Amino acid sequence: MRFYTSDETGQIKGVDVDSKVSLLEAQIKAAKKVKADAKAKANAKKGEVVVTEDNILAGTDVWNLHGAVNRDLAIQHMSASTWITGEPTLAVARKNGAIEVVSKDSGESLYTFNEPEFTAPFSIKSNGRTISDRRYVGLGVTDSHFVAATNMGEVRYQAYGEDEQSDAAATLLRLQVDACKMRVHDKRSSLFAIGGREQELTVWDAETTKTAGTTEYAKPTTAPIFKSKNVCNDFLDMRVPVWITDLQFIDDNTSNPTIAISTGYKQIRIYDAKAQPRPVHDWEVSKHPINHILVSHAKPELFFADNEGNLQLMDLRTGRIIGGYKGIAGAVKAIALSED
C-alpha cells in the first residue's frame, strides 16, 4: 500500500507500507529500540540518541517525492488527480500562494500558478479576531481545472493554460471573509461548498455564477445553488453561533447535494439541499471541537477527528458512535481512505 503526505516544510513524501506487517507492532518495537539505545549510550554520550536504520518502522519505506525543506513553501492543502496527458498527479497549495501540480511517478513539477499579492501584508478584524495572513482553506483539481479558496473568501476556478499567470480562463469570486473550509464535488469540478466562522454553508457552481468583474475578485451577482440557515435558537432563546470547520459532499447528486459539516462547537450536521435550508440531522458527538471529517465511500459512515487527536467513526443514519482509533500521538491534520 502506498500513500502520500505533505508537510509544513514544503515536502511531498511517499510512504510504502507492507500490508503483512502490523503497524502497531512495528511502532512498539521501534519505541523499545529507541529507549534501549538511549539507555546504552547515556553514560558515553550524555543521553544523546542516535537514530539508526533499526529505528525505522519495520515494513515501511519513506521517500521524498518532491521539494526541499523550506517553510516559506509550506503545503497547506494537497489533492490527487490526473494531468492533461492522463498522468497521475498531486496538486498542492503552498503558503506563498503557489498552486503546483507534481507528477506522482517522477516528482517533476508539471504546472505552477502564483496567486498575485497572496503574501501582501494586511490586517482586518472579523468576528472579534484580527486576521493578518492569507491562507488556503481548500483545493480541488481535475485534469483541466483547479479550484482554490482562501480564508479571505477568495475563490479561483481556473483552467490550466499555456500562460500560467493568465486570468483569461478564470472565474474569480469574492465571498465572505473568515472562511474555514472549501471542498469540491467529486462528480463536478465546478461545484463547490464553503463555510466558516459566522459563515453559513453555501454551494456554488463556478461555471454559472456571474460577477461584476472579469480580471479581479468580485462579489457574485447571482445567488448560490444552496445556502443554509442557522439552527433554531437554544433553550434560552439565544442565537447559536456558526463555526463550520470542515464539510463533505455525501452523495453524487450535483443539483441538490447532501452535505455533512463539522463545527467548532462539537456537532456533526447533515444538510439536504432538496429538503430544507436547516440541517436534517444535528448531532453533538464529541467533547471537543471537531476539526476534520471524511465520509466513507463504502458504507454510510463518517470519520471525524477533534482537536485533542481523537479519531472516531459514526453511523450517518443514526448519529451513533461506532468506534474509535487509538494510538494517535499528535493532532490529526488530514484523513484519507484507501480506494480498496
Side-chain angles (χ1 to χ4, degrees), residues 283-307:
W283 300 300
E284 185 169 320
V285 296
S286 176
K287 296 180 180 179
H288 310 284
I290 301 170
N291 290 343
H292 302 285
I293 60 173
L294 179 66
V295 176
S296 170
H297 58 267
K299 298 179 181 180
E301 298 171 348
L302 180 140
F303 299 85
F304 67 91
D306 60 32
N307 65 354

mmCIF file with all atom_site columns, all heavy atoms in Angstrom, residues 283-307:
data_model
loop_
_atom_site.group_PDB
_atom_site.id
_atom_site.type_symbol
_atom_site.label_atom_id
_atom_site.label_alt_id
_atom_site.label_comp_id
_atom_site.label_asym_id
_atom_site.label_entity_id
_atom_site.label_seq_id
_atom_site.pdbx_PDB_ins_code
_atom_site.Cartn_x
_atom_site.Cartn_y
_atom_site.Cartn_z
_atom_site.occupancy
_atom_site.B_iso_or_equiv
_atom_site.pdbx_formal_charge
_atom_site.auth_seq_id
_atom_site.auth_comp_id
_atom_site.auth_asym_id
_atom_site.auth_atom_id
_atom_site.pdbx_PDB_model_num
ATOM 1   N N   . TRP A 1 283 ? -26.198 16.429 15.376 1.00 0.00 ? 283 TRP A N   1
ATOM 2   C CA  . TRP A 1 283 ? -25.736 15.578 16.472 1.00 0.00 ? 283 TRP A CA  1
ATOM 3   C C   . TRP A 1 283 ? -24.530 16.200 17.156 1.00 0.00 ? 283 TRP A C   1
ATOM 4   O O   . TRP A 1 283 ? -23.597 16.644 16.487 1.00 0.00 ? 283 TRP A O   1
ATOM 5   C CB  . TRP A 1 283 ? -25.330 14.199 15.951 1.00 0.00 ? 283 TRP A CB  1
ATOM 6   C CG  . TRP A 1 283 ? -26.416 13.428 15.273 1.00 0.00 ? 283 TRP A CG  1
ATOM 7   C CD1 . TRP A 1 283 ? -27.603 13.036 15.801 1.00 0.00 ? 283 TRP A CD1 1
ATOM 8   C CD2 . TRP A 1 283 ? -26.398 12.926 13.938 1.00 0.00 ? 283 TRP A CD2 1
ATOM 9   N NE1 . TRP A 1 283 ? -28.334 12.324 14.882 1.00 0.00 ? 283 TRP A NE1 1
ATOM 10  C CE2 . TRP A 1 283 ? -27.617 12.239 13.719 1.00 0.00 ? 283 TRP A CE2 1
ATOM 11  C CE3 . TRP A 1 283 ? -25.470 12.978 12.889 1.00 0.00 ? 283 TRP A CE3 1
ATOM 12  C CZ2 . TRP A 1 283 ? -27.937 11.625 12.519 1.00 0.00 ? 283 TRP A CZ2 1
ATOM 13  C CZ3 . TRP A 1 283 ? -25.781 12.380 11.689 1.00 0.00 ? 283 TRP A CZ3 1
ATOM 14  C CH2 . TRP A 1 283 ? -26.994 11.707 11.506 1.00 0.00 ? 283 TRP A CH2 1
ATOM 15  N N   . GLU A 1 284 ? -24.520 16.202 18.480 1.00 0.00 ? 284 GLU A N   1
ATOM 16  C CA  . GLU A 1 284 ? -23.322 16.564 19.238 1.00 0.00 ? 284 GLU A CA  1
ATOM 17  C C   . GLU A 1 284 ? -22.604 15.268 19.574 1.00 0.00 ? 284 GLU A C   1
ATOM 18  O O   . GLU A 1 284 ? -23.089 14.457 20.367 1.00 0.00 ? 284 GLU A O   1
ATOM 19  C CB  . GLU A 1 284 ? -23.680 17.335 20.508 1.00 0.00 ? 284 GLU A CB  1
ATOM 20  C CG  . GLU A 1 284 ? -22.451 17.826 21.259 1.00 0.00 ? 284 GLU A CG  1
ATOM 21  C CD  . GLU A 1 284 ? -22.788 18.806 22.372 1.00 0.00 ? 284 GLU A CD  1
ATOM 22  O OE1 . GLU A 1 284 ? -23.665 19.666 22.177 1.00 0.00 ? 284 GLU A OE1 1
ATOM 23  O OE2 . GLU A 1 284 ? -22.160 18.700 23.449 1.00 0.00 ? 284 GLU A OE2 1
ATOM 24  N N   . VAL A 1 285 ? -21.437 15.074 18.974 1.00 0.00 ? 285 VAL A N   1
ATOM 25  C CA  . VAL A 1 285 ? -20.793 13.761 19.023 1.00 0.00 ? 285 VAL A CA  1
ATOM 26  C C   . VAL A 1 285 ? -19.437 13.768 19.724 1.00 0.00 ? 285 VAL A C   1
ATOM 27  O O   . VAL A 1 285 ? -18.797 12.724 19.835 1.00 0.00 ? 285 VAL A O   1
ATOM 28  C CB  . VAL A 1 285 ? -20.617 13.200 17.589 1.00 0.00 ? 285 VAL A CB  1
ATOM 29  C CG1 . VAL A 1 285 ? -21.967 12.966 16.939 1.00 0.00 ? 285 VAL A CG1 1
ATOM 30  C CG2 . VAL A 1 285 ? -19.762 14.142 16.742 1.00 0.00 ? 285 VAL A CG2 1
ATOM 31  N N   . SER A 1 286 ? -18.977 14.918 20.180 1.00 0.00 ? 286 SER A N   1
ATOM 32  C CA  . SER A 1 286 ? -17.643 14.993 20.766 1.00 0.00 ? 286 SER A CA  1
ATOM 33  C C   . SER A 1 286 ? -17.642 15.915 21.971 1.00 0.00 ? 286 SER A C   1
ATOM 34  O O   . SER A 1 286 ? -18.554 16.732 22.151 1.00 0.00 ? 286 SER A O   1
ATOM 35  C CB  . SER A 1 286 ? -16.635 15.488 19.720 1.00 0.00 ? 286 SER A CB  1
ATOM 36  O OG  . SER A 1 286 ? -15.348 15.650 20.278 1.00 0.00 ? 286 SER A OG  1
ATOM 37  N N   . LYS A 1 287 ? -16.611 15.772 22.776 1.00 0.00 ? 287 LYS A N   1
ATOM 38  C CA  . LYS A 1 287 ? -16.408 16.678 23.903 1.00 0.00 ? 287 LYS A CA  1
ATOM 39  C C   . LYS A 1 287 ? -15.512 17.845 23.527 1.00 0.00 ? 287 LYS A C   1
ATOM 40  O O   . LYS A 1 287 ? -15.296 18.750 24.331 1.00 0.00 ? 287 LYS A O   1
ATOM 41  C CB  . LYS A 1 287 ? -15.788 15.921 25.078 1.00 0.00 ? 287 LYS A CB  1
ATOM 42  C CG  . LYS A 1 287 ? -16.676 14.826 25.647 1.00 0.00 ? 287 LYS A CG  1
ATOM 43  C CD  . LYS A 1 287 ? -15.999 14.125 26.810 1.00 0.00 ? 287 LYS A CD  1
ATOM 44  C CE  . LYS A 1 287 ? -16.887 13.027 27.388 1.00 0.00 ? 287 LYS A CE  1
ATOM 45  N NZ  . LYS A 1 287 ? -16.222 12.323 28.525 1.00 0.00 ? 287 LYS A NZ  1
ATOM 46  N N   . HIS A 1 288 ? -14.969 17.819 22.305 1.00 0.00 ? 288 HIS A N   1
ATOM 47  C CA  . HIS A 1 288 ? -14.014 18.829 21.865 1.00 0.00 ? 288 HIS A CA  1
ATOM 48  C C   . HIS A 1 288 ? -14.389 19.329 20.467 1.00 0.00 ? 288 HIS A C   1
ATOM 49  O O   . HIS A 1 288 ? -15.129 18.658 19.735 1.00 0.00 ? 288 HIS A O   1
ATOM 50  C CB  . HIS A 1 288 ? -12.596 18.240 21.843 1.00 0.00 ? 288 HIS A CB  1
ATOM 51  C CG  . HIS A 1 288 ? -12.203 17.546 23.105 1.00 0.00 ? 288 HIS A CG  1
ATOM 52  N ND1 . HIS A 1 288 ? -11.851 18.226 24.250 1.00 0.00 ? 288 HIS A ND1 1
ATOM 53  C CD2 . HIS A 1 288 ? -12.125 16.229 23.408 1.00 0.00 ? 288 HIS A CD2 1
ATOM 54  C CE1 . HIS A 1 288 ? -11.571 17.362 25.203 1.00 0.00 ? 288 HIS A CE1 1
ATOM 55  N NE2 . HIS A 1 288 ? -11.722 16.144 24.723 1.00 0.00 ? 288 HIS A NE2 1
ATOM 56  N N   . PRO A 1 289 ? -13.887 20.501 20.073 1.00 0.00 ? 289 PRO A N   1
ATOM 57  C CA  . PRO A 1 289 ? -14.144 20.999 18.714 1.00 0.00 ? 289 PRO A CA  1
ATOM 58  C C   . PRO A 1 289 ? -13.686 19.996 17.657 1.00 0.00 ? 289 PRO A C   1
ATOM 59  O O   . PRO A 1 289 ? -12.606 19.411 17.772 1.00 0.00 ? 289 PRO A O   1
ATOM 60  C CB  . PRO A 1 289 ? -13.315 22.287 18.649 1.00 0.00 ? 289 PRO A CB  1
ATOM 61  C CG  . PRO A 1 289 ? -13.197 22.731 20.072 1.00 0.00 ? 289 PRO A CG  1
ATOM 62  C CD  . PRO A 1 289 ? -13.127 21.479 20.891 1.00 0.00 ? 289 PRO A CD  1
ATOM 63  N N   . ILE A 1 290 ? -14.502 19.798 16.636 1.00 0.00 ? 290 ILE A N   1
ATOM 64  C CA  . ILE A 1 290 ? -14.187 18.844 15.574 1.00 0.00 ? 290 ILE A CA  1
ATOM 65  C C   . ILE A 1 290 ? -13.481 19.587 14.449 1.00 0.00 ? 290 ILE A C   1
ATOM 66  O O   . ILE A 1 290 ? -13.968 20.608 13.955 1.00 0.00 ? 290 ILE A O   1
ATOM 67  C CB  . ILE A 1 290 ? -15.463 18.157 15.060 1.00 0.00 ? 290 ILE A CB  1
ATOM 68  C CG1 . ILE A 1 290 ? -16.163 17.433 16.214 1.00 0.00 ? 290 ILE A CG1 1
ATOM 69  C CG2 . ILE A 1 290 ? -15.142 17.177 13.937 1.00 0.00 ? 290 ILE A CG2 1
ATOM 70  C CD1 . ILE A 1 290 ? -17.537 16.924 15.866 1.00 0.00 ? 290 ILE A CD1 1
ATOM 71  N N   . ASN A 1 291 ? -12.336 19.077 14.028 1.00 0.00 ? 291 ASN A N   1
ATOM 72  C CA  . ASN A 1 291 ? -11.523 19.750 13.013 1.00 0.00 ? 291 ASN A CA  1
ATOM 73  C C   . ASN A 1 291 ? -11.674 19.163 11.620 1.00 0.00 ? 291 ASN A C   1
ATOM 74  O O   . ASN A 1 291 ? -11.631 19.893 10.637 1.00 0.00 ? 291 ASN A O   1
ATOM 75  C CB  . ASN A 1 291 ? -10.041 19.701 13.404 1.00 0.00 ? 291 ASN A CB  1
ATOM 76  C CG  . ASN A 1 291 ? -9.727  20.570 14.594 1.00 0.00 ? 291 ASN A CG  1
ATOM 77  O OD1 . ASN A 1 291 ? -10.510 21.448 14.948 1.00 0.00 ? 291 ASN A OD1 1
ATOM 78  N ND2 . ASN A 1 291 ? -8.598  20.327 15.230 1.00 0.00 ? 291 ASN A ND2 1
ATOM 79  N N   . HIS A 1 292 ? -11.819 17.815 11.529 1.00 0.00 ? 292 HIS A N   1
ATOM 80  C CA  . HIS A 1 292 ? -11.821 17.165 10.219 1.00 0.00 ? 292 HIS A CA  1
ATOM 81  C C   . HIS A 1 292 ? -12.872 16.069 10.168 1.00 0.00 ? 292 HIS A C   1
ATOM 82  O O   . HIS A 1 292 ? -13.099 15.371 11.171 1.00 0.00 ? 292 HIS A O   1
ATOM 83  C CB  . HIS A 1 292 ? -10.443 16.558 9.920  1.00 0.00 ? 292 HIS A CB  1
ATOM 84  C CG  . HIS A 1 292 ? -9.331  17.550 9.949  1.00 0.00 ? 292 HIS A CG  1
ATOM 85  N ND1 . HIS A 1 292 ? -9.118  18.463 8.946  1.00 0.00 ? 292 HIS A ND1 1
ATOM 86  C CD2 . HIS A 1 292 ? -8.370  17.777 10.880 1.00 0.00 ? 292 HIS A CD2 1
ATOM 87  C CE1 . HIS A 1 292 ? -8.073  19.212 9.260  1.00 0.00 ? 292 HIS A CE1 1
ATOM 88  N NE2 . HIS A 1 292 ? -7.609  18.827 10.422 1.00 0.00 ? 292 HIS A NE2 1
ATOM 89  N N   . ILE A 1 293 ? -13.478 15.899 8.988  1.00 0.00 ? 293 ILE A N   1
ATOM 90  C CA  . ILE A 1 293 ? -14.409 14.795 8.762  1.00 0.00 ? 293 ILE A CA  1
ATOM 91  C C   . ILE A 1 293 ? -14.114 14.161 7.410  1.00 0.00 ? 293 ILE A C   1
ATOM 92  O O   . ILE A 1 293 ? -13.512 14.793 6.523  1.00 0.00 ? 293 ILE A O   1
ATOM 93  C CB  . ILE A 1 293 ? -15.888 15.253 8.804  1.00 0.00 ? 293 ILE A CB  1
ATOM 94  C CG1 . ILE A 1 293 ? -16.178 16.309 7.720  1.00 0.00 ? 293 ILE A CG1 1
ATOM 95  C CG2 . ILE A 1 293 ? -16.261 15.759 10.180 1.00 0.00 ? 293 ILE A CG2 1
ATOM 96  C CD1 . ILE A 1 293 ? -17.648 16.676 7.614  1.00 0.00 ? 293 ILE A CD1 1
ATOM 97  N N   . LEU A 1 294 ? -14.522 12.916 7.253  1.00 0.00 ? 294 LEU A N   1
ATOM 98  C CA  . LEU A 1 294 ? -14.365 12.210 5.989  1.00 0.00 ? 294 LEU A CA  1
ATOM 99  C C   . LEU A 1 294 ? -15.477 11.181 5.867  1.00 0.00 ? 294 LEU A C   1
ATOM 100 O O   . LEU A 1 294 ? -15.643 10.333 6.751  1.00 0.00 ? 294 LEU A O   1
ATOM 101 C CB  . LEU A 1 294 ? -13.000 11.519 5.906  1.00 0.00 ? 294 LEU A CB  1
ATOM 102 C CG  . LEU A 1 294 ? -12.734 10.721 4.625  1.00 0.00 ? 294 LEU A CG  1
ATOM 103 C CD1 . LEU A 1 294 ? -12.669 11.649 3.422  1.00 0.00 ? 294 LEU A CD1 1
ATOM 104 C CD2 . LEU A 1 294 ? -11.450 9.914  4.743  1.00 0.00 ? 294 LEU A CD2 1
ATOM 105 N N   . VAL A 1 295 ? -16.223 11.253 4.772  1.00 0.00 ? 295 VAL A N   1
ATOM 106 C CA  . VAL A 1 295 ? -17.309 10.311 4.530  1.00 0.00 ? 295 VAL A CA  1
ATOM 107 C C   . VAL A 1 295 ? -16.750 9.063  3.864  1.00 0.00 ? 295 VAL A C   1
ATOM 108 O O   . VAL A 1 295 ? -15.970 9.148  2.911  1.00 0.00 ? 295 VAL A O   1
ATOM 109 C CB  . VAL A 1 295 ? -18.398 10.945 3.652  1.00 0.00 ? 295 VAL A CB  1
ATOM 110 C CG1 . VAL A 1 295 ? -19.487 9.922  3.311  1.00 0.00 ? 295 VAL A CG1 1
ATOM 111 C CG2 . VAL A 1 295 ? -19.020 12.149 4.349  1.00 0.00 ? 295 VAL A CG2 1
ATOM 112 N N   . SER A 1 296 ? -17.140 7.904  4.362  1.00 0.00 ? 296 SER A N   1
ATOM 113 C CA  . SER A 1 296 ? -16.698 6.641  3.773  1.00 0.00 ? 296 SER A CA  1
ATOM 114 C C   . SER A 1 296 ? -17.357 6.448  2.411  1.00 0.00 ? 296 SER A C   1
ATOM 115 O O   . SER A 1 296 ? -18.547 6.740  2.234  1.00 0.00 ? 296 SER A O   1
ATOM 116 C CB  . SER A 1 296 ? -17.061 5.475  4.693  1.00 0.00 ? 296 SER A CB  1
ATOM 117 O OG  . SER A 1 296 ? -16.851 4.235  4.045  1.00 0.00 ? 296 SER A OG  1
ATOM 118 N N   . HIS A 1 297 ? -16.586 5.939  1.438  1.00 0.00 ? 297 HIS A N   1
ATOM 119 C CA  . HIS A 1 297 ? -17.151 5.672  0.117  1.00 0.00 ? 297 HIS A CA  1
ATOM 120 C C   . HIS A 1 297 ? -17.751 4.278  0.040  1.00 0.00 ? 297 HIS A C   1
ATOM 121 O O   . HIS A 1 297 ? -18.368 3.917  -0.962 1.00 0.00 ? 297 HIS A O   1
ATOM 122 C CB  . HIS A 1 297 ? -16.062 5.810  -0.962 1.00 0.00 ? 297 HIS A CB  1
ATOM 123 C CG  . HIS A 1 297 ? -14.880 4.906  -0.750 1.00 0.00 ? 297 HIS A CG  1
ATOM 124 N ND1 . HIS A 1 297 ? -13.759 5.325  -0.070 1.00 0.00 ? 297 HIS A ND1 1
ATOM 125 C CD2 . HIS A 1 297 ? -14.655 3.613  -1.086 1.00 0.00 ? 297 HIS A CD2 1
ATOM 126 C CE1 . HIS A 1 297 ? -12.876 4.333  -0.025 1.00 0.00 ? 297 HIS A CE1 1
ATOM 127 N NE2 . HIS A 1 297 ? -13.394 3.291  -0.630 1.00 0.00 ? 297 HIS A NE2 1
ATOM 128 N N   . ALA A 1 298 ? -17.583 3.492  1.088  1.00 0.00 ? 298 ALA A N   1
ATOM 129 C CA  . ALA A 1 298 ? -18.073 2.115  1.074  1.00 0.00 ? 298 ALA A CA  1
ATOM 130 C C   . ALA A 1 298 ? -19.351 1.930  1.896  1.00 0.00 ? 298 ALA A C   1
ATOM 131 O O   . ALA A 1 298 ? -20.220 1.144  1.527  1.00 0.00 ? 298 ALA A O   1
ATOM 132 C CB  . ALA A 1 298 ? -16.988 1.174  1.602  1.00 0.00 ? 298 ALA A CB  1
ATOM 133 N N   . LYS A 1 299 ? -19.491 2.661  3.010  1.00 0.00 ? 299 LYS A N   1
ATOM 134 C CA  . LYS A 1 299 ? -20.628 2.488  3.894  1.00 0.00 ? 299 LYS A CA  1
ATOM 135 C C   . LYS A 1 299 ? -21.155 3.859  4.316  1.00 0.00 ? 299 LYS A C   1
ATOM 136 O O   . LYS A 1 299 ? -20.455 4.867  4.206  1.00 0.00 ? 299 LYS A O   1
ATOM 137 C CB  . LYS A 1 299 ? -20.218 1.683  5.143  1.00 0.00 ? 299 LYS A CB  1
ATOM 138 C CG  . LYS A 1 299 ? -19.743 0.268  4.844  1.00 0.00 ? 299 LYS A CG  1
ATOM 139 C CD  . LYS A 1 299 ? -19.345 -0.431 6.136  1.00 0.00 ? 299 LYS A CD  1
ATOM 140 C CE  . LYS A 1 299 ? -18.852 -1.853 5.859  1.00 0.00 ? 299 LYS A CE  1
ATOM 141 N NZ  . LYS A 1 299 ? -18.456 -2.541 7.113  1.00 0.00 ? 299 LYS A NZ  1
ATOM 142 N N   . PRO A 1 300 ? -22.405 3.924  4.808  1.00 0.00 ? 300 PRO A N   1
ATOM 143 C CA  . PRO A 1 300 ? -22.944 5.208  5.307  1.00 0.00 ? 300 PRO A CA  1
ATOM 144 C C   . PRO A 1 300 ? -22.338 5.568  6.657  1.00 0.00 ? 300 PRO A C   1
ATOM 145 O O   . PRO A 1 300 ? -23.013 5.573  7.689  1.00 0.00 ? 300 PRO A O   1
ATOM 146 C CB  . PRO A 1 300 ? -24.452 4.942  5.391  1.00 0.00 ? 300 PRO A CB  1
ATOM 147 C CG  . PRO A 1 300 ? -24.549 3.472  5.636  1.00 0.00 ? 300 PRO A CG  1
ATOM 148 C CD  . PRO A 1 300 ? -23.420 2.858  4.861  1.00 0.00 ? 300 PRO A CD  1
ATOM 149 N N   . GLU A 1 301 ? -21.044 5.818  6.654  1.00 0.00 ? 301 GLU A N   1
ATOM 150 C CA  . GLU A 1 301 ? -20.310 6.126  7.873  1.00 0.00 ? 301 GLU A CA  1
ATOM 151 C C   . GLU A 1 301 ? -19.446 7.355  7.671  1.00 0.00 ? 301 GLU A C   1
ATOM 152 O O   . GLU A 1 301 ? -19.095 7.701  6.541  1.00 0.00 ? 301 GLU A O   1
ATOM 153 C CB  . GLU A 1 301 ? -19.440 4.926  8.286  1.00 0.00 ? 301 GLU A CB  1
ATOM 154 C CG  . GLU A 1 301 ? -20.240 3.677  8.599  1.00 0.00 ? 301 GLU A CG  1
ATOM 155 C CD  . GLU A 1 301 ? -19.370 2.453  8.784  1.00 0.00 ? 301 GLU A CD  1
ATOM 156 O OE1 . GLU A 1 301 ? -18.166 2.519  8.456  1.00 0.00 ? 301 GLU A OE1 1
ATOM 157 O OE2 . GLU A 1 301 ? -19.898 1.421  9.233  1.00 0.00 ? 301 GLU A OE2 1
ATOM 158 N N   . LEU A 1 302 ? -19.077 7.984  8.765  1.00 0.00 ? 302 LEU A N   1
ATOM 159 C CA  . LEU A 1 302 ? -18.288 9.202  8.704  1.00 0.00 ? 302 LEU A CA  1
ATOM 160 C C   . LEU A 1 302 ? -17.200 9.167  9.773  1.00 0.00 ? 302 LEU A C   1
ATOM 161 O O   . LEU A 1 302 ? -17.472 8.875  10.937 1.00 0.00 ? 302 LEU A O   1
ATOM 162 C CB  . LEU A 1 302 ? -19.187 10.426 8.895  1.00 0.00 ? 302 LEU A CB  1
ATOM 163 C CG  . LEU A 1 302 ? -18.511 11.797 8.854  1.00 0.00 ? 302 LEU A CG  1
ATOM 164 C CD1 . LEU A 1 302 ? -19.392 12.793 8.103  1.00 0.00 ? 302 LEU A CD1 1
ATOM 165 C CD2 . LEU A 1 302 ? -18.264 12.334 10.268 1.00 0.00 ? 302 LEU A CD2 1
ATOM 166 N N   . PHE A 1 303 ? -15.964 9.439  9.361  1.00 0.00 ? 303 PHE A N   1
ATOM 167 C CA  . PHE A 1 303 ? -14.844 9.569  10.289 1.00 0.00 ? 303 PHE A CA  1
ATOM 168 C C   . PHE A 1 303 ? -14.741 11.037 10.721 1.00 0.00 ? 303 PHE A C   1
ATOM 169 O O   . PHE A 1 303 ? -14.927 11.941 9.895  1.00 0.00 ? 303 PHE A O   1
ATOM 170 C CB  . PHE A 1 303 ? -13.531 9.153  9.626  1.00 0.00 ? 303 PHE A CB  1
ATOM 171 C CG  . PHE A 1 303 ? -13.492 7.728  9.169  1.00 0.00 ? 303 PHE A CG  1
ATOM 172 C CD1 . PHE A 1 303 ? -14.001 7.361  7.929  1.00 0.00 ? 303 PHE A CD1 1
ATOM 173 C CD2 . PHE A 1 303 ? -12.943 6.741  9.975  1.00 0.00 ? 303 PHE A CD2 1
ATOM 174 C CE1 . PHE A 1 303 ? -13.961 6.041  7.498  1.00 0.00 ? 303 PHE A CE1 1
ATOM 175 C CE2 . PHE A 1 303 ? -12.896 5.423  9.556  1.00 0.00 ? 303 PHE A CE2 1
ATOM 176 C CZ  . PHE A 1 303 ? -13.410 5.070  8.312  1.00 0.00 ? 303 PHE A CZ  1
ATOM 177 N N   . PHE A 1 304 ? -14.435 11.274 11.978 1.00 0.00 ? 304 PHE A N   1
ATOM 178 C CA  . PHE A 1 304 ? -14.222 12.651 12.424 1.00 0.00 ? 304 PHE A CA  1
ATOM 179 C C   . PHE A 1 304 ? -13.103 12.694 13.457 1.00 0.00 ? 304 PHE A C   1
ATOM 180 O O   . PHE A 1 304 ? -12.900 11.747 14.223 1.00 0.00 ? 304 PHE A O   1
ATOM 181 C CB  . PHE A 1 304 ? -15.511 13.282 12.972 1.00 0.00 ? 304 PHE A CB  1
ATOM 182 C CG  . PHE A 1 304 ? -16.018 12.684 14.250 1.00 0.00 ? 304 PHE A CG  1
ATOM 183 C CD1 . PHE A 1 304 ? -15.627 13.194 15.481 1.00 0.00 ? 304 PHE A CD1 1
ATOM 184 C CD2 . PHE A 1 304 ? -16.906 11.615 14.227 1.00 0.00 ? 304 PHE A CD2 1
ATOM 185 C CE1 . PHE A 1 304 ? -16.110 12.661 16.673 1.00 0.00 ? 304 PHE A CE1 1
ATOM 186 C CE2 . PHE A 1 304 ? -17.387 11.067 15.406 1.00 0.00 ? 304 PHE A CE2 1
ATOM 187 C CZ  . PHE A 1 304 ? -16.990 11.587 16.632 1.00 0.00 ? 304 PHE A CZ  1
ATOM 188 N N   . ALA A 1 305 ? -12.365 13.796 13.447 1.00 0.00 ? 305 ALA A N   1
ATOM 189 C CA  . ALA A 1 305 ? -11.246 13.990 14.370 1.00 0.00 ? 305 ALA A CA  1
ATOM 190 C C   . ALA A 1 305 ? -11.398 15.326 15.068 1.00 0.00 ? 305 ALA A C   1
ATOM 191 O O   . ALA A 1 305 ? -11.736 16.340 14.427 1.00 0.00 ? 305 ALA A O   1
ATOM 192 C CB  . ALA A 1 305 ? -9.916  13.929 13.620 1.00 0.00 ? 305 ALA A CB  1
ATOM 193 N N   . ASP A 1 306 ? -11.143 15.350 16.374 1.00 0.00 ? 306 ASP A N   1
ATOM 194 C CA  . ASP A 1 306 ? -11.252 16.601 17.125 1.00 0.00 ? 306 ASP A CA  1
ATOM 195 C C   . ASP A 1 306 ? -9.871  17.185 17.393 1.00 0.00 ? 306 ASP A C   1
ATOM 196 O O   . ASP A 1 306 ? -8.854  16.635 16.966 1.00 0.00 ? 306 ASP A O   1
ATOM 197 C CB  . ASP A 1 306 ? -12.034 16.383 18.435 1.00 0.00 ? 306 ASP A CB  1
ATOM 198 C CG  . ASP A 1 306 ? -11.372 15.365 19.357 1.00 0.00 ? 306 ASP A CG  1
ATOM 199 O OD1 . ASP A 1 306 ? -10.124 15.279 19.358 1.00 0.00 ? 306 ASP A OD1 1
ATOM 200 O OD2 . ASP A 1 306 ? -12.093 14.656 20.077 1.00 0.00 ? 306 ASP A OD2 1
ATOM 201 N N   . ASN A 1 307 ? -9.839  18.298 18.103 1.00 0.00 ? 307 ASN A N   1
ATOM 202 C CA  . ASN A 1 307 ? -8.562  18.985 18.318 1.00 0.00 ? 307 ASN A CA  1
ATOM 203 C C   . ASN A 1 307 ? -7.731  18.375 19.440 1.00 0.00 ? 307 ASN A C   1
ATOM 204 O O   . ASN A 1 307 ? -6.679  18.908 19.799 1.00 0.00 ? 307 ASN A O   1
ATOM 205 C CB  . ASN A 1 307 ? -8.796  20.472 18.584 1.00 0.00 ? 307 ASN A CB  1
ATOM 206 C CG  . ASN A 1 307 ? -9.548  20.737 19.882 1.00 0.00 ? 307 ASN A CG  1
ATOM 207 O OD1 . ASN A 1 307 ? -10.001 19.806 20.561 1.00 0.00 ? 307 ASN A OD1 1
ATOM 208 N ND2 . ASN A 1 307 ? -9.689  22.006 20.231 1.00 0.00 ? 307 ASN A ND2 1
#
